[in-house]
Amino acid sequence: MKKIILMSLMALVALTAGAQKFALLDMEYILKNIPAYERANEQLNQVSKKWQAEVEALNTEAATMYKNYQNEVVFLSEEQKKRRQEDIMGKEKEASELRKKYFGPEGELFKKRESLMSPIQDEIYNAVKDISELRGYSLVLDRSSDGGIIFGSPKIDISNEVLEKLGYSAN
């Protein structure tokens, strides 16, 4: 009885899966062929380097303050030591807060990436949606992600079609 139910279930799955159409695309390939994406990435790299330099400057300043403190500690009164230690900790905290402001989960870099990349991603999504509706695809998978796709026939890859719909040519 169990064999019959299992065989029936497998036949049902095979029939319903056969009725649906699938497509693949390679998001990395698509993005590589969109100049606006490359420009956005370059902007993000430049701003990231600038902000990283600001954070490193504060860390260097804190390290210099600490080194000077170590060299002068024997000459300082308890009050001066305490004040210097507070200044050093304040500078380290300032660097930490700046790092969080720029590079934290909801930091400036995240917001900048979102503002630059969202329009590009939305445009790609809309193109994929239009092609899917036109061709009757029930599912479109990204072969470049770690989705576990071992093999996908090039016949069902719509990456070039998405690029064409966006007005770009493939390399």
Side-chain angles (χ1 to χ4, degrees):
M1 183 68 168
K2 288 183 180 179
K3 280 187 176 181
I4 294 172
I5 293 173
L6 183 60
M7 296 284 265
S8 299
L9 263 172
M10 287 175 40
L12 182 64
V13 167
L15 286 174
T16 57
Q20 296 179 1
K21 289 177 71 176
F22 305 99
L24 295 176
L25 62 79
D26 186 335
M27 189 61 80
E28 287 178 15
Y29 171 77
I30 290 170
L31 291 172
K32 188 174 73 174
N33 284 285
I34 297 177
Y37 177 76
E38 294 298 322
R39 287 190 301 270
N41 258 341
E42 185 56 36
Q43 271 186 279
L44 287 172
N45 287 337
Q46 288 174 358
V47 77
S48 178
K49 286 177 185 176
K50 176 183 172 239
W51 289 341
Q52 185 63 34
E54 288 179 35
V55 171
E56 287 175 8
L58 287 176
N59 282 327
T60 301
E61 196 174 331
T64 301
M65 290 169 69
Y66 180 73
K67 185 179 175 185
N68 291 341
Y69 170 77
Q70 291 290 77
N71 290 336
E72 300 168 0
V73 71
V74 293
F75 305 112
L76 301 174
S77 69
E78 287 303 313
E79 187 178 306
Q80 289 172 324
K81 287 179 190 177
K82 185 178 178 184
R83 180 69 188 144
R84 290 271 192 94
Q85 290 168 356
E86 289 172 357
D87 290 346
I88 294 167
M89 288 189 303
K91 191 59 71 175
E92 289 172 343
K93 184 178 179 186
E94 185 181 347
S96 176
E97 288 173 355
L98 190 62
R99 179 178 302 282
K100 184 179 177 183
K101 175 187 172 195
Y102 288 151
F103 303 107
E106 296 294 321
E108 296 299 317
L109 188 62
F110 173 82
K111 292 174 186 171
K112 184 83 169 164
R113 178 176 286 118
E114 189 75 17
S115 71
L116 291 172
M117 297 300 182
S118 285
I120 297 168
Q121 291 169 336
D122 291 346
E123 189 178 10
I124 293 169
Y125 171 79
N126 289 330
V128 170
K129 183 178 172 209
D130 291 347
I131 292 168
S132 296
E133 289 173 354
L134 179 70
R135 299 277 171 86
Y137 296 130
S138 302
L139 180 68
V140 178
L141 300 170
D142 180 6
R143 71 171 46 210
S144 67
S145 70
D146 293 333
I149 298 172
I150 296 170
F151 172 78
S153 172
K155 294 176 185 175
I156 63 170
D157 190 319
I158 62 170
S159 301
N160 286 329
E161 192 173 350
V162 171
L163 283 170
E164 287 173 21
K165 179 131 182 93
L166 294 170
Y168 302 104
S169 62
N171 286 340

